[in-house]
Amino acid sequence: GVSIPSMKRTGMDFGDIMELERSDKRQELHERTPLSDVVLDMVCEHFPNPVDAQPRRIPRIWRGDADSELADTMRLVDEDGEVVLMVTDIGVDPHAGEIAAGRVFSGTLEKGQELYVSGTAGKNRIQSVGIYMGGEREEVERVPAGNIAAVTGLKDAIAGSTVSSVEMT
């Protein structure tokens, strides 16, 4: 993985990259400029901060009452508001079982919370909350709004589910 910022950081230029590629030294190229570093640089540079992005996103993705307190807490990325989590992926951990990953739009996720999963009856109890550090899931005490969370215990959730502390559309 290469980019102009990675070349500046590593002191490599296109000639160095082409020479390593021609010499079939891809492992050395990978070690000198890992793809993960280049992608992370791009994410940090180009992905908007949730505090800046959510006021624009919420009206586009949520069909609820735009004048409600819940809409305000999501637009403000309010960690003290009602919990609203949008599940974007379900993965399986051989030890923990199903892990629901997604953006926390408002509120704070904590172990033991009972939350509604859109389109299902009843509530699901959160068994653990965490964040991803690269490919590894790190369990934490709480995950506030604006973060991507990894949650176990949401047995009824599927990708696309809205998980919340109040029943909602």
Side-chain angles (χ1 to χ4, degrees):
V2 295
S3 66
I4 299 298
S6 74
M7 289 190 300
K8 288 178 182 176
R9 185 175 55 247
T10 62
M12 297 175 65
D13 61 25
F14 281 114
D16 298 327
I17 294 164
M18 295 304 296
E19 182 57 36
L20 288 169
E21 184 67 28
R22 285 188 189 116
S23 302
D24 202 26
K25 294 182 179 177
R26 290 187 184 104
Q27 185 60 35
E28 183 180 340
L29 180 60
H30 167 72
E31 290 168 5
R32 290 179 64 184
T33 179
L35 178 61
S36 58
D37 290 352
V38 175
V39 172
L40 182 58
D41 287 346
M42 291 182 346
V43 167
C44 292
E45 177 72 23
H46 298 287
F47 275 30
N49 177 326
V51 174
D52 298 329
Q54 275 187 213
R56 294 187 313 270
R57 285 185 183 145
I58 295 306
R60 290 185 184 136
I61 64 172
W62 188 59
R63 300 291 181 245
D65 180 0
D67 297 323
S68 68
E69 185 176 334
L70 184 58
D72 287 341
T73 64
M74 287 191 289
R75 279 191 298 268
L76 296 172
V77 195
D78 184 356
E79 66 183 66
D80 295 320
E82 297 291 348
V83 171
V84 178
L85 164 73
M86 174 63 176
V87 177
T88 54
D89 185 54
I90 302 287
V92 177
D93 180 288
H95 304 290
E98 287 188 352
I99 300 171
R103 166 82 61 198
V104 183
F105 283 97
S106 69
T108 298
L109 292 174
E110 297 179 16
K111 180 179 177 178
Q113 284 175 317
E114 290 191 352
L115 302 173
Y116 294 97
V117 177
S118 61
T120 66
K123 294 182 177 181
N124 289 200
R125 181 183 299 275
I126 293 180
Q127 302 300 314
S128 71
V129 294
I131 57 173
Y132 283 105
M133 302 291 284
E136 302 296 318
R137 183 174 48 91
E138 184 74 29
E139 287 192 23
V140 295
E141 293 295 316
R142 53 196 301 273
V143 177
N147 290 287
I148 304 294
V151 182
T152 62
L154 298 176
K155 63 181 175 22
D156 294 331
I158 60 172
S161 294
T162 300
V163 177
S164 57
S165 54
V166 295
E167 290 187 270
M168 62 182 284
T169 302

